[in-house]
Amino acid sequence: MAEESIKIDRKKDDKSVKKEMMNRGAWTAEEDRKLAEVIEIHGPKRWKKIATKAGLDRCGKSCRLRWMNYLRPNIKRGNITDQEEDLILRLHKLLGNRWSLIAGRLPGRTDNEIKNYWNSHLSKKISQVEKHGEGSRREGSRSKRRRVVEKASTSEEGEGEDTKSNGCEDLKDEFDRDDFFDFSNESPLTLEWVSKFLELDNNLCELS
DNA sequence: AAAGAGTCCAACCGCGACCAG
DNA sequence: CCTGGTCGCGGTTGGACTCTT
């Protein structure tokens, strides 16, 4: 028993020592350059390897995040347009806090960016609207662990867990959300998709 | 001009899923 | 089947910047 806890402690210590040795905080231009170089050669995978190859005192996780949110080509910087905002609102209504899925429909935007935008702009907007208007509906606390939720939701969608509900529950019979949002073999945001989505969303909310 | 409050966003953290051995 | 390593996700934090008083 005691031995086990010592083991755990040692493990924890190793971890924190490593952490302390790791470079953290803001990325420098030099680090960015090194990271981009290595990724160009090896591709954006095996992040731990990339971190060591680049000679950065960063963990793979940190490298991945930097690449995904900042260095990746085709990243769109600057203000979220009205159209994008509208899309985010509608997608969030359907999907809840599944930022990566939402980001998948906004080319050039990252999940982190959308999440930040939501937290700083839209959540306020929404709570203001809710104050004025009627319904208060709790945002699903940890919509995360989505795969678990998704699995569960296939059998019993109810529970209101993973947000979205908003009078749109009815759609579940005729609309397979996960199918709809499976973007794996589809090119991102096309006008057809947007109009298809907006049309569908309008229809659903008219029903409710 | 300064200082306190508020906002924004890059980066970190912790967790669960996935996968290879 | 089990285990350890890795990845990807959403939540949270810290600090730089801006606004207000």
Side-chain angles (χ1 to χ4, degrees):
Chain A
M1 294 287 168
E3 206 182 313
E4 189 140 330
S5 70
I6 290 168
K7 256 189 208 167
I8 292 168
D9 278 355
R10 189 170 301 148
K11 208 175 167 186
K12 227 195 276 176
D13 271 298
D14 284 354
K15 232 182 180 176
S16 53
V17 167
K18 263 187 194 168
K19 255 186 193 171
E20 270 170 30
M21 287 180 354
M22 286 286 178
N23 186 7
R24 292 157 78 187
W27 282 69
T28 64
E30 178 66 12
E31 284 178 308
D32 283 348
R33 194 186 55 74
K34 281 182 185 172
L35 180 61
E37 250 173 34
V38 174
I39 289 175
E40 202 173 318
I41 297 165
H42 295 95
K45 52 195 167 188
R46 312 256 85 195
W47 292 104
K48 206 175 177 186
K49 214 183 229 173
I50 286 173
T52 38
K53 289 234 169 181
L56 302 169
D57 288 334
R58 302 268 184 179
C59 61
K61 217 176 188 182
S62 180
C63 292
R64 178 187 162 272
L65 201 70
R66 183 64 179 171
W67 173 257
M68 300 300 270
N69 289 335
Y70 198 81
L71 297 176
R72 202 161 43 119
N74 306 325
I75 293 233
K76 204 195 268 181
R77 313 228 126 247
N79 296 342
I80 303 267
T81 64
D82 287 350
Q83 200 196 357
E84 285 174 317
E85 182 182 307
D86 189 48
L87 203 50
I88 292 169
L89 281 166
R90 287 162 185 268
L91 286 167
H92 185 270
K93 198 162 87 176
L94 273 167
L95 294 165
N97 298 357
R98 290 154 77 174
W99 307 116
S100 58
L101 277 182
I102 295 174
R105 277 300 158 188
L106 291 157
R109 301 293 185 188
T110 68
D111 54 352
N112 205 33
E113 192 178 9
I114 291 169
K115 182 171 58 182
N116 282 334
Y117 187 73
W118 179 269
N119 288 334
S120 52
H121 296 85
L122 300 181
S123 62
K124 275 179 217 159
K125 236 184 204 180
I126 289 208
S127 63
Q128 269 175 5
V129 168
E130 277 184 354
K131 254 185 202 168
H132 287 135
E134 76 302 308
S136 68
R137 186 189 52 83
R138 259 176 35 81
E139 164 64 286
S141 52
R142 285 204 139 195
S143 67
K144 209 190 147 174
R145 312 294 156 244
R146 67 182 197 295
R147 272 167 269 213
V148 178
V149 172
E150 273 167 16
K151 266 180 205 162
S153 71
T154 53
S155 51
E156 40 161 334
E157 179 96 42
E159 283 298 304
E161 218 283 43
D162 198 14
T163 55
K164 67 250 178 185
S165 21
N166 277 49
C168 289
E169 297 94 336
D170 291 346
L171 76 139
K172 66 173 178 256
D173 292 333
E174 50 199 312
F175 172 60
D176 185 337
R177 203 177 292 117
D178 291 330
D179 245 25
F180 193 76
F181 290 101
D182 178 14
F183 312 136
S184 48
N185 45 13
E186 196 186 337
S187 64
L189 189 65
T190 61
L191 285 176
E192 300 99 280
W193 183 87
V194 177
S195 48
K196 187 180 161 192
F197 173 72
L198 295 178
E199 195 182 313
L200 181 60
D201 189 43
N202 280 333
N203 290 342
L204 290 168
C205 290
E206 269 168 27
L207 282 173
S208 59

